[in-house]
């Protein structure tokens, strides 16, 4: 018998990973804006993602819609628990999107739109990390309803993971700009990338140490003999890909830093899934307990199987069409 809940978890997990990658380097460019002051250089930075940035956020919409259709208990509970950080994140994304459009048309007020773009990118990234940290900490549920307080999400750990996501997105954006730009911008990114990689490595290490110490149930899953076989290579691979990314920057390779940073994102995401599996509302509700009726899952799955290939095709086509480097003086996006 086909496990529809498991299929939906795979769809949502892949959708979230694609969002983190695509919108991650997109947000990362806004985080990196303060490191380059010239308007022409900032124009180039924005033009590297201008044709695709709004399409990247399609995956966030897909993830939210899928969660509502397949796991309505998660949708209701998690939104209730994380209402404030989610609202701030959405408002930040709105400011960032408006700044993206208006900045290209502004003259005297361009510096204000730069600030909105920077602030929106940093806040959206930070609160995505806060949401992640609060989710890992666990959500109190009683009688299928959120039973915690309005500020349960706020903790030292969630603030630290917020910082971690900002650094992660900055590293993705930096690697993307190495690949998509030339001369001064690329030189600056080559200089900045090793510092971000080392900081990211330290953050990964701190989260990896704190999580099992603070959450015995996660430690039990990590060091369970069955899970240990799958989990043990992850720390070694993180060290390996961090070293490869640093070496690629030293050798001034253009595409490799982005590829190795993507590998680090995938490893972090794998560790996150291993830590929580099979709980979709940690620490107590599994994917099967939170699932909607099979008829609902099957009906929406048919629609998803039609829409997802279309989204993948237009996303892939967008990146293929705009695959070349972006330079100062290019007409860009208007």
């Amino acid at each position: 018998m086909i496990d529809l809940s498991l299929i939906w978890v795979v769809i949502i997990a892949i959708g979230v990973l694609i969002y983190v990658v695509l919108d991650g380097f997109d947000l990362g460019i806004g985080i990196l804006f303060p490191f380059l002051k010239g308007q022409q250089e900032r124009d180039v930075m924005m033009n590297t993602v201008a044709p695709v940035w709004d399409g990247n956020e399609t995956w966030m919409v897909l993830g939210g819609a899928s969660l509502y259709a397949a796991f309505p208990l998660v949708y209701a509970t998690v939104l209730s628990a994380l209402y404030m950080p989610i609202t701030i994140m959405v408002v930040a994304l709105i400011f960032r999107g408006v700044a993206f459009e208006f900045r290209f048309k502004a003259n005297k007020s361009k510096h204000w739109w730069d600030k909105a773009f920077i602030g929106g990118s940093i806040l959206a990234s930070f609160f995505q990390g806060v949401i992640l940290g609060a989710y890992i900490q666990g959500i109190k549920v009683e009688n299928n309803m959120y039973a915690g307080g309005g500020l349960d999400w706020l903790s030292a750990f969630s603030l630290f993971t917020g910082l971690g996501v900002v650094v992660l997105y900055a590293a993705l954006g930096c690697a993307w700009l190495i690949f998509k730009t030339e001369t001064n911008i690329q030189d600056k990114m080559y200089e900045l990338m090793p510092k971000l990689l080392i900081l990211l490595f330290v953050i990964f290490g701190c989260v990896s140490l704190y999580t099992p110490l603070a959450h015995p149930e996660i430690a039990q899953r990590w060091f369970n003999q069955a899970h240990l076989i799958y989990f043990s290579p992850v720390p070694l691979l993180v060290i390996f890909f961090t070293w490869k990314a640093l070496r690629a920057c030293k050798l001034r390779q253009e595409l490799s830093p982005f590829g190795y940073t993507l590998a680090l994102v995938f490893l972090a995401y794998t560790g996150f899934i291993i830590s929580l599996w099979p709980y979709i509302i940690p620490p107590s509700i599994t994917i099967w307990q939170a699932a909607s009726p099979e008829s609902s899952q099957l009906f929406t799955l048919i629609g998803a199987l039609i829409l997802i290939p279309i989204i993948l095709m237009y996303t892939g086509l967008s990146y293929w069409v705009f695959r070349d480097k972006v330079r100062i003086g290019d007409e860009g996006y208007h």
Side-chain angles (χ1 to χ4, degrees):
M1 184 177 178
I2 298 174
D3 191 336
L4 293 176
S5 297
L6 193 57
I7 292 173
W8 269 112
V9 164
V10 172
I11 290 173
I12 293 170
I14 292 174
V16 170
L17 179 60
I18 293 173
Y19 170 78
V20 167
V21 170
L22 297 185
D23 213 34
F25 68 76
D26 192 338
L27 287 162
I29 288 171
I31 297 168
L32 294 172
F33 243 47
F35 293 93
L36 291 167
K37 305 296 184 182
Q39 288 298 341
Q40 285 187 323
E41 292 175 327
R42 288 183 170 185
D43 288 345
V44 170
M45 292 171 72
M46 292 189 82
N47 280 329
T48 63
V49 292
V52 296
W53 75 272
D54 44 359
N56 293 343
E57 295 184 354
T58 304
W59 296 97
M60 176 186 283
V61 177
L62 176 68
S66 299
L67 203 61
Y68 179 78
F71 303 101
L73 177 61
V74 181
Y75 188 88
T77 305
V78 172
L79 260 67
S80 297
L82 305 175
Y83 182 81
M84 189 178 296
I86 289 173
T87 300
I88 296 172
M89 179 197 71
V90 170
V91 171
L93 288 173
I94 291 170
F95 266 91
R96 178 176 171 274
V98 171
F100 219 119
E101 297 295 337
F102 277 51
R103 183 183 177 278
F104 288 107
K105 300 173 176 63
N107 291 314
K108 294 180 179 179
S109 62
K110 182 173 279 193
H111 66 285
W112 289 110
W113 295 116
D114 281 353
K115 290 179 174 62
F117 184 64
I118 294 167
S121 299
I122 293 174
L123 279 176
S125 304
F126 178 75
F127 278 98
Q128 284 181 19
V130 168
I131 291 165
L132 172 65
Y135 185 76
I136 293 173
Q137 285 178 163
I139 296 172
K140 187 177 180 182
V141 179
E142 293 179 3
N143 299 320
N144 288 339
M145 294 181 65
Y146 176 58
L151 292 176
D152 283 7
W153 56 272
L154 185 60
S155 68
F157 179 70
S158 66
L159 295 177
F160 186 75
T161 53
L163 174 63
V165 169
V166 171
V167 175
L168 175 62
Y169 285 176
L172 279 170
C174 193
W176 174 256
L177 290 172
I178 287 173
F179 172 56
K180 291 290 288 184
T181 63
E182 295 178 338
T183 61
N184 293 340
I185 301 174
Q186 190 182 63
D187 291 341
K188 183 66 177 180
M189 294 303 115
Y190 272 127
E191 180 185 338
L192 186 60
M193 187 70 185
K195 299 172 185 176
L196 291 171
L197 286 169
I198 292 169
L199 183 55
L200 186 62
F201 181 78
V202 171
I203 289 171
F204 278 179
C206 291
V207 172
S208 298
L209 287 172
Y210 174 83
T211 302
L213 291 174
H215 303 280
E217 67 280 1
I218 292 179
Q220 186 177 1
R221 285 194 289 274
W222 278 20
F223 302 113
N224 176 281
Q225 186 173 0
H227 288 172
L228 194 60
I229 297 172
Y230 300 105
F231 189 75
S232 56
V234 172
L236 296 176
L237 288 171
V238 168
I239 295 171
F240 173 74
F241 282 115
T242 301
W243 173 76
K244 290 290 286 182
L246 289 168
R247 180 173 171 78
C249 291
K250 185 177 180 180
L251 297 174
R252 294 184 68 86
Q253 297 172 352
E254 293 192 338
L255 182 57
S256 296
F258 188 65
Y260 294 137
T261 308
L262 290 182
L264 290 172
V265 172
F266 178 76
L267 289 170
Y269 195 66
T270 302
F272 165 73
I273 291 175
I274 292 173
S275 299
L276 299 183
W277 182 262
Y279 298 98
I280 196 168
I281 305 179
S284 58
I285 297 181
T286 67
I287 60 173
W288 298 281
Q289 291 172 326
S292 62
E294 283 193 9
S295 57
S296 299
Q297 289 188 334
L298 181 60
F299 178 77
T300 49
L301 181 62
I302 295 169
L305 293 177
I306 295 171
L307 286 175
I308 291 174
I310 296 172
I311 298 171
L312 285 170
M313 283 190 290
Y314 84 64
T315 300
L317 181 62
S318 298
Y319 280 90
W320 174 255
V321 169
F322 298 100
R323 66 188 180 277
D324 292 334
K325 285 184 176 291
V326 181
R327 302 170 180 86
I328 292 175
D330 287 349
E331 183 177 350
Y333 173 77
H334 297 285

